Amino acid sequence: MYCLSNRSIAYLDPGNICSDLHCGAVAGYKLIWLLFLTHALGLYVQTLSARIGIVTGRNLAQHCHEQYARSIRIPLWLVCELAIIGSDIQESIGTAIALYLLFGVQIWAGILVAALLSYVILGIQRFGARKVEALFIAMIAIMCACFGVEVFMSSPDVREITKGLLIPRIPASATVQAVGIVGAVIMPHNLFLHSALVGTRRIKRAADVRHASIREANFYTTLESGVALLFSFAINATIMIVFADIYSRGNSAKSVHMAEQHLPGLVEAADLLRGAFGDLGPLLWAIGLLSSGQSSTATGTMAGQYLMEGMMRLRASPWLRLFISRSTSLVPTMLVGVLFTSRLDQFDEWLNVLQSLALPFALIPTLKLAQSSHVMSEFAVGPRWRAFGWLAAAVIIALNVYLLLPLIVDLASYGVAAACMALALLGMYLLFVYILVVSKVE
């Protein structure tokens, strides 16, 4: 159950909530299908990473240390650490905004309080896994209750929801939001986390019972992941549906145009909910947001610890790990919180895009290891699922490049030097992806 609650929380951080809000405002119900598909892809890659841990007894980060040369391993670690810091920033911003909505605490002060609260959450782990499990389950229940009540209060159009789930569409104005969904749901550090969490399972590795024991562990892990992601999809979909309904109540075209010009933020979302449902709407929103921000702190800290210890053989206590991560993320978060409060939401959205850009650097090693008969023996992924995984990776990389190309064109307006630098960074990105794809796993 501890693994189950962690798997749910990994897909319910403030970055997810911000992504759902923007998708509902800009695209209405039209991206529900993509949210579902991304959760299905999340189940696939999460299952692969967990299987690697179950079959081999070592997590993804440890395998990366063994399989890749130092020249590849260091930049791979840095990219994944950058993604974790980005997630930390989102958690701090989400918690700070929730404290502002509930108690009127200034954003910059809320960011500091969020950093202190993260140590409280970590301290509860000293009382045992049961206490942490109970806390996580309580937070998930709070999110379900808060966001669930709001979707019932909104009385959305069931027909439009069904169309949004069954008919694949991506409005031209929602490209950034579509890529953001992928990054918000499938965060790269979660693959490292899930491959390590299964280490708590007791697996019999004696020759006569090993096969049956591993098959049983794989089955129950997949089942747990499926249930966790079903809860995650339901909560994320309710948020998207609520704001799609709010923006569709008036002049739909005018509302969508306004959302395209200025994305509603987590603070503005509370005002929208107040206008739609009265004072209860923003209260439920703030409580759910606070639960999301604090519950996701532990998963980020654990993922960072597994990544640091496994890939780089750098050992640090969870307290030191949290201090390093929070201290690194605190400076840019405080700068944004103090100087660019009105742009918190654009900042949060591009942090989701950062997760999508970093995702191939966790996904490709996962696919390479999972399909290797040398590593996985008889539990290696079959040809069909292997093809599906590489197709998904290709689509994610293509979406990332598609999103980056307009930015490069915009940078070209600042001169040849800016354009050359942007193209060089894109080339380095694609080159590193290529190196990971062609690197042999033995």
Side-chain angles (χ1 to χ4, degrees):
M1 185 64 75
Y2 183 48
C3 291
L4 176 61
S5 59
N6 271 285
R7 290 191 181 101
S8 297
I9 286 168
Y11 295 87
L12 293 171
D13 70 338
N16 291 93
I17 294 175
C18 188
S19 174
D20 300 331
L21 163 62
H22 291 167
C23 289
V26 175
Y29 303 101
K30 295 175 184 173
L31 293 180
I32 297 177
W33 71 272
L34 183 59
L35 181 67
F36 178 80
L37 186 64
T38 307
H39 275 80
L41 179 59
L43 175 61
Y44 170 73
V45 297
Q46 182 173 299
T47 300
L48 288 187
S49 66
R51 284 166 65 98
I52 291 170
I54 290 171
V55 173
T56 67
R58 298 190 302 279
N59 61 52
L60 179 59
Q62 292 170 329
H63 280 288
C64 288
H65 178 86
E66 296 169 0
Q67 297 291 340
Y68 296 117
R70 186 179 178 85
S71 58
I72 298 175
R73 194 167 65 243
I74 291 178
L76 183 63
W77 172 64
L78 290 174
V79 169
C80 294
E81 285 288 357
L82 182 63
I84 292 176
I85 290 170
S87 179
D88 278 343
I89 292 173
Q90 289 179 309
E91 292 157 13
S92 297
I93 290 175
T95 300
I97 290 176
L99 293 172
Y100 169 76
L101 294 173
L102 288 170
F103 309 111
V105 177
Q106 292 297 312
I107 297 297
W108 66 268
I111 292 171
L112 292 176
V113 173
L116 294 175
L117 286 175
S118 61
Y119 285 98
V120 175
I121 298 294
L122 188 63
I124 294 175
Q125 295 188 38
R126 300 185 65 180
F127 296 99
R130 292 286 184 182
K131 301 294 189 303
V132 180
E133 175 189 323
L135 178 63
F136 286 170
I137 291 174
M139 289 183 173
I140 294 171
I142 290 170
M143 283 186 272
C144 287
C146 291
F147 299 137
V149 168
E150 287 180 341
V151 79
F152 282 110
M153 291 170 66
S154 66
S155 301
D157 189 331
V158 177
R159 182 178 177 182
E160 287 298 317
I161 293 173
T162 305
K163 287 173 61 178
L165 181 61
L166 299 179
I167 303 176
R169 296 169 289 175
I170 299 180
S173 59
T175 305
V176 175
Q177 287 73 34
V179 176
I181 285 181
V182 178
V185 173
I186 315 174
M187 291 187 174
H189 63 268
N190 285 338
L191 299 185
F192 293 96
L193 173 65
H194 295 133
S195 69
L197 285 177
V198 294
T200 59
R201 288 190 176 276
R202 294 181 179 178
I203 299 171
K204 300 175 183 178
R205 299 193 180 274
D208 57 334
V209 295
R210 175 181 176 273
H211 185 86
S213 181
I214 289 176
R215 283 181 62 88
E216 181 183 23
N218 284 336
F219 172 78
Y220 283 109
T221 298
T222 303
L223 183 63
E224 286 179 2
S225 297
V227 173
L229 284 165
L230 186 61
F231 272 103
S232 170
F233 170 72
I235 294 174
N236 283 293
T238 58
I239 299 169
M240 189 182 295
I241 289 167
V242 166
F243 287 98
D245 176 69
I246 289 175
Y247 272 82
S248 66
R249 288 186 179 187
N251 185 324
S252 180
K254 182 179 179 181
S255 299
V256 171
H257 177 72
M258 290 174 61
E260 292 171 2
Q261 297 299 315
H262 175 70
L263 288 171
L266 296 173
V267 176
E268 291 172 294
D271 295 330
L272 291 169
L273 292 168
R274 179 177 287 106
F277 311 127
D279 291 338
L280 181 61
L283 177 62
L284 293 173
W285 175 253
I287 294 172
L289 187 59
L290 182 62
S291 296
S292 170
Q294 285 307 292
S295 61
S296 52
T297 294
T299 59
T301 302
M302 286 189 291
Q305 188 173 1
Y306 290 130
L307 183 65
M308 181 185 292
E309 292 181 359
M311 194 177 295
M312 300 304 296
R313 297 293 194 262
L314 299 174
R315 294 193 175 276
S317 70
W319 297 94
L320 179 58
R321 165 69 211 179
L322 182 60
F323 176 77
I324 294 171
S325 179
R326 287 293 180 182
S327 299
T328 307
S329 63
L330 190 61
V331 175
T333 309
M334 285 295 290
L335 286 174
V336 174
V338 173
L339 301 177
F340 306 103
T341 304
S342 61
R343 299 195 176 264
L344 280 175
D345 311 300
Q346 287 86 348
F347 188 59
D348 212 9
E349 182 180 44
W350 282 102
L351 286 173
N352 283 333
V353 173
L354 169 65
Q355 302 294 335
S356 182
L357 291 172
L359 179 57
F361 303 114
L363 179 57
I364 291 173
T366 301
L367 293 174
K368 297 277 288 185
L369 288 164
Q371 72 182 28
S372 170
S373 57
H374 178 77
V375 175
M376 300 291 287
S377 62
E378 69 268 31
F379 295 98
V381 176
R384 291 183 181 179
W385 285 113
R386 186 184 308 173
F388 173 78
W390 285 110
L391 177 62
V395 170
I396 291 170
I397 295 168
L399 279 173
N400 290 338
V401 173
Y402 177 74
L403 181 66
L404 290 174
L405 287 177
L407 296 178
I408 294 174
V409 173
D410 290 341
L411 285 172
S413 63
Y414 292 96
V416 177
C420 290
M421 184 178 295
L423 286 171
L425 290 174
L426 177 61
M428 290 172 61
Y429 176 81
L430 293 176
L431 177 62
F432 195 32
V433 168
Y434 173 76
I435 290 172
L436 289 177
V437 171
V438 300
S439 296
K440 292 183 179 180
V441 171
E442 300 176 348

